[in-house]
Amino acid sequence: ILAAAALLGHALTKLRIPVQMVELVTHYGLSQTGFLLAVMLVVFVLGMFLETISIILITTPVVLPVLAALHINPIWYGILLTINLELALITPPVGMNLFAIKAITRAPIGEIILGVAPYVALLVAGLALVLGLLLWGLGEISGLVQERQGQRQAAVASVAQSLAGAQTLLGPVVHMACTEEWQTREGRDGVVTA
């Protein structure tokens, strides 16, 4: 699995698939919310048919550059991915934990699927809650960043205006002090040093 994943990652890099994904997302102006919802839906569908390690190894090389381009923290993405993969382990048709439970309890698979339905609902609710917290946090952070940038620009403009006023007032004084220092050095050392 790891060798095939390394080969797939190399092929994706050579074909520039991650770069094309970043360009596609930025070209269509896909928001952080839209991207995360799309990826979580794809992972959920893949989880119905593939094993969790395979999903991680297939999606990570493509998704990581887009996360960086959209300024989404990979740790938060990892938390969402983990919850979604846990959900994949108990959803039919290939939910690996369903078959483990069947082997242990010898109960019919239909009964097991009905038994895990509340847990599927809880995991979906947990995934929605974490995704909501992440998106709220991203919105709060981007709002704070914009506010800080506005404050920084105002402070820079204020400092520049103050410096311009100070230069007008202090320009002759600074020039005179520098000239006196220069003359003092020249007289002491006999050589002008820069």
Side-chain angles (χ1 to χ4, degrees):
I1 290 176
L2 293 177
L7 183 63
L8 175 69
H10 182 70
L12 289 174
T13 304
K14 286 290 186 188
L15 293 173
R16 297 178 34 91
I17 300 294
V19 174
Q20 290 174 351
M21 281 294 293
V22 171
E23 290 172 355
L24 183 72
V25 167
T26 54
H27 174 71
Y28 285 111
L30 193 61
S31 68
Q32 295 168 330
T33 307
F35 177 73
L36 284 173
L37 288 175
V39 169
M40 289 301 114
L41 182 63
V42 166
V43 169
F44 180 74
V45 171
L46 286 175
M48 291 181 178
F49 304 104
L50 294 175
E51 184 184 1
T52 56
I53 299 289
S54 304
I55 295 169
I56 293 170
L57 295 175
I58 290 170
T59 59
T60 301
V62 177
V63 170
L64 232 59
V66 182
L67 290 176
L70 291 176
H71 305 290
I72 298 172
N73 191 332
I75 294 173
W76 277 101
Y77 172 74
I79 293 168
L80 291 171
L81 183 66
T82 302
I83 295 170
N84 210 341
L85 291 175
E86 287 298 322
L87 184 60
L89 288 173
I90 61 172
T91 53
V94 187
M96 301 295 270
N97 286 352
L98 297 178
F99 294 110
I101 293 170
K102 180 172 176 38
I104 293 170
T105 64
R106 303 203 192 292
I109 195 75
E111 186 179 318
I112 293 171
I113 291 172
L114 288 175
V116 300
Y119 298 102
V120 169
L122 283 173
L123 279 172
V124 168
L127 183 64
L129 178 68
V130 171
L131 185 60
L133 287 173
L134 169 64
L135 295 175
W136 175 76
L138 287 173
E140 288 292 313
I141 289 171
S142 69
L144 286 174
V145 167
Q146 289 174 353
E147 182 181 322
R148 295 269 190 231
Q149 286 175 344
Q151 290 174 351
R152 189 175 302 133
Q153 288 173 349
V156 167
S158 173
V159 168
Q161 187 177 16
S162 298
L163 286 176
Q167 183 180 8
T168 305
L169 292 174
L170 297 176
V173 174
V174 171
H175 176 69
M176 190 170 56
C178 289
T179 305
E180 288 177 13
E181 174 65 26
W182 187 273
Q183 290 170 350
T184 305
R185 279 190 186 175
E186 190 177 53
R188 183 183 61 213
D189 299 335
V191 177
V192 177
T193 56

